[in-house]
Amino acid sequence: MELAYYADYAVRLVNTEQPARNKDALTSVEAVRDLFGPSGQAARRATDADVTRFRSVRARLRAVFEAADAGDERLAVDRLNSLLMEFPVSPQISGHEERDADGRPDWHMHLADHPSNATAGYAAIASMGLAFHLTSYGVDRLGLCEAAPCRNAYLDTSTNRSRRYCSDRCATRANVAAYRARKRLETERAAETGRSAETAQATTPRTER
């Protein structure tokens, strides 16, 4: 499994909350376990106590995205380094059952499960994955959706660094809103122009008409 894959762990956790909408999906141990995806062994270690711990890590990961989105590279890096120091990773070379074209194990880097608790394990994986993405592609590749009030986190993997929304749905919604705003402005300007013309005509002396 490539290390870049683990960056999605950070996005997945951050997006369990939508502060502007006052919505929080991280309310039970089952929600915590769902975040691990197919990693069943790590998920089974989660307990009710991890709900609060996961929320704390979530706030710190969102703070990384917020700093990156604001263009403050140093702050984003400092916040991420703080997480990396608190939740160190245990890398391993793994091959599982995959084989390459020559029948040899498909060796790759894998982040081993943390022995402490579910939160520590998840935080270590998410932080390392995010760090790998940041150092490989740049701080400006970490973003928050511009389609208010969404503000979901995303990883920009576009070739021209042009991503601004977390999903096609938000992009469409923002484009529709922008189109409607332009139409309203055009209507208002046309109405203002019409009123100005009527006013000018009304104030023009009869002899000049």
Side-chain angles (χ1 to χ4, degrees):
M1 185 178 297
E2 296 182 2
L3 292 180
Y5 166 84
Y6 292 112
D8 188 57
Y9 275 58
V11 173
R12 205 182 306 165
L13 176 54
V14 170
N15 291 347
T16 60
E17 181 184 30
Q18 294 184 323
R21 291 172 171 161
N22 198 30
K23 291 183 178 181
D24 189 347
L26 196 57
T27 58
S28 66
V29 67
E30 287 75 19
V32 168
R33 288 170 179 161
D34 286 343
L35 287 168
F36 285 91
S39 182
Q41 182 176 352
R44 282 194 293 271
R45 290 206 308 270
T47 66
D48 289 332
D50 284 300
V51 176
T52 300
R53 291 195 289 252
F54 261 69
R55 286 177 173 176
S56 176
V57 172
R58 178 180 65 187
R60 294 171 66 183
L61 285 171
R62 175 171 282 278
V64 174
F65 279 92
E66 288 174 344
D69 189 64
D72 194 335
E73 294 192 17
R74 174 52 58 188
L75 182 58
V77 169
D78 286 347
R79 287 173 171 173
L80 188 50
N81 272 336
S82 177
L83 283 161
L84 290 169
M85 292 177 66
E86 185 173 346
F87 303 105
V89 297
S90 300
Q92 291 182 344
I93 299 174
S94 177
H96 299 298
E97 299 300 325
E98 295 100 351
R99 298 283 171 173
D100 62 17
D102 297 320
R104 297 172 300 188
D106 183 16
W107 300 117
H108 56 271
M109 291 301 296
H110 177 81
L111 300 184
D113 292 337
H114 201 284
S116 178
N117 57 62
T119 301
Y122 194 98
I125 289 173
S127 299
M128 188 60 198
L130 199 58
F132 180 84
H133 190 92
L134 184 152
T135 54
S136 297
Y137 305 108
V139 177
D140 58 339
R141 292 291 189 145
L142 311 183
L144 292 173
C145 186
E146 292 185 11
C150 177
R151 303 301 283 168
N152 270 351
Y154 65 82
L155 302 172
D156 186 0
T157 56
S158 64
T159 56
N160 57 356
R161 299 174 182 266
S162 61
R163 185 169 179 178
R164 297 165 55 202
Y165 307 104
C166 69
S167 64
D168 290 340
R169 180 181 180 182
C170 276
T172 299
R173 183 162 54 86
N175 290 333
V176 169
Y179 172 79
R180 289 175 177 171
R182 287 195 302 270
K183 285 299 182 182
R184 283 197 301 270
L185 182 59
E186 291 172 1
T187 300
E188 291 170 0
R189 286 177 176 173
E192 183 63 30
T193 300
R195 286 194 296 269
S196 297
E198 291 175 358
T199 300
Q201 184 177 9
T203 57
T204 300
R206 186 176 298 274
T207 54
E208 296 179 9
R209 296 181 183 175

